[in-house]
Amino acid sequence: LGDAVPDDAEFEQILHCSDDHSGLSSVIAIHDTTLGPSLGGIRMRRYPDQAAAAADAKRLAEAMTYKSALAGLDLGGGKSVINADPAAPDRNELLLAHARHIQSLGGRYIPAVDMGTTVADLRLVGTVVSTVSSSRRDPSDFTARGVVAAIRGAVQATEGRGLSGLRVGIQGLGHVGRQIADLLADEGAKLVVADIDDRRAREVRARTGAVVVPPSDILLADVDVLCPCAAGGVVDAELAKTLTARYVIGAANNVLADPALAATLRARDIVHVPDFVANAGGLIACAAEVRGDDSDLLHRVEAIGDTTENLLRTAGRRGQDTVSVAMQLAEDRIAGARAAGKTV
Ligand code: NAD
């Protein structure tokens, strides 16, 4: 949930995987399976060493536990990382070797797409692993819808108004950010956008009428909502003190460089919806794919708006920041399931 690396003792299982033939070096972290099998992406990235790869897998797996619990899913938290350049020529060999390790876990970890992997990669992994997700569709559409639902819920709970005329600054116009731009523009929001890839910014401007600003200006743009959809850690101690937006709600994982900054934002009356609440739409779509049932998928994704409203009201009542309250609500659900399991 921030830069701190959770202790190994907090995990059910951490697997350090290797394969001599392909040269695979990967880590699978299973944080908690109380609510169900762990689901989380396979990230492919070149890390400086195995310790850095394990640290990333652990941080991400822990966040998945909270994300699943708050989204009301019967899933736990897990994640895996392959320590390799995504452009490696032998990536298929690496993915297949990694898949054999996943399959050895007997379904305790269900893989999904993540940074450096694609839907086609998950199809390949699915030739070895019995249960995979995001092998049929890119979950980004649903992530975008969930973020917009979170913005709608937050603005409704705070000001009792809709999205029309709301000024939203979007940092990053990739798979998720550009769809958030389209959805918000359809509801009458006024957009300010930035991407380090100028072509993407120009495409969004042409479709939505958004004002394009340089990437260096987006975090302090004159907007109501800051919506980070690029890298994590963008709200650091300095920005938390100087931010002019009244809401921080985005898709990027670990938006706060340190979860303690949630208290700084609260003290400044800035409404912050934790990313593990706002960006759960993709996970909800992955869960539906695994269940083989899309019937209530959109409804479940839109329910992120209700979860957001409840979270903000609970945080207001308790006088606590939203990250602490969201984690407490997730832990309560897991503890309840654990207690029920023990009495059966
Ligand atoms: P993406 O790689 O498709 O898009 C990221 C975009 O951000 C790119 O267009 C890139 O050029 C731009 N960018 C990078 N640095 C920037 C900067 N400093 N300023 C402005 N733009 C910058 O990624 P995505 O799939 O759209 O995901 C966005 C974020 O949301 C990531 O942090 C990801 O981990 C998170 N997330 C994504 C999903 C999903 O379903 N795709 C789900 C949960 C969380």
Side-chain angles (χ1 to χ4, degrees), residues 238-308:
E238 181 60 28
L239 188 66
K241 281 190 250 151
T242 52
L243 195 65
T244 53
R246 293 176 293 116
Y247 299 83
V248 178
I249 307 167
N253 287 314
N254 300 333
V255 165
L256 304 185
D258 177 347
L261 294 173
T264 311
L265 296 181
R266 178 173 178 272
R268 295 190 58 217
D269 283 334
I270 296 171
V271 175
H272 165 238
V273 179
D275 37 82
F276 55 93
V277 175
N279 73 15
L283 171 63
I284 294 168
C286 288
E289 185 180 332
V290 170
R291 277 201 320 271
D293 176 11
D294 274 357
S295 54
D296 59 350
L297 175 54
L298 281 181
H299 176 74
R300 278 173 170 258
V301 173
E302 292 297 332
I304 290 174
D306 301 332
T307 306
T308 299

Side-chain angles (χ1 to χ4, degrees), residues 43 67 115 138-140 143 171-177 194-197 200 215 218 229-232 251-253 279 282:
R43 181 165 287 196
K67 203 189 284 198
M115 259 168 59
D138 181 344
S140 307
T143 304
Q171 181 196 41
L173 302 166
H175 291 92
V176 182
D195 198 295
I196 49 173
D197 180 343
R200 290 188 175 173
I218 189 70
C229 297
N253 287 314
N279 73 15

Side-chain angles (χ1 to χ4, degrees), residues 148 151 163 168 170 179-189 191 227:
V148 172
I151 296 174
L163 298 179
V168 184
I170 307 176
Q179 295 192 71
I180 291 175
D182 288 348
L183 292 165
L184 287 173
D186 285 349
E187 296 201 40
L191 305 179
C227 182

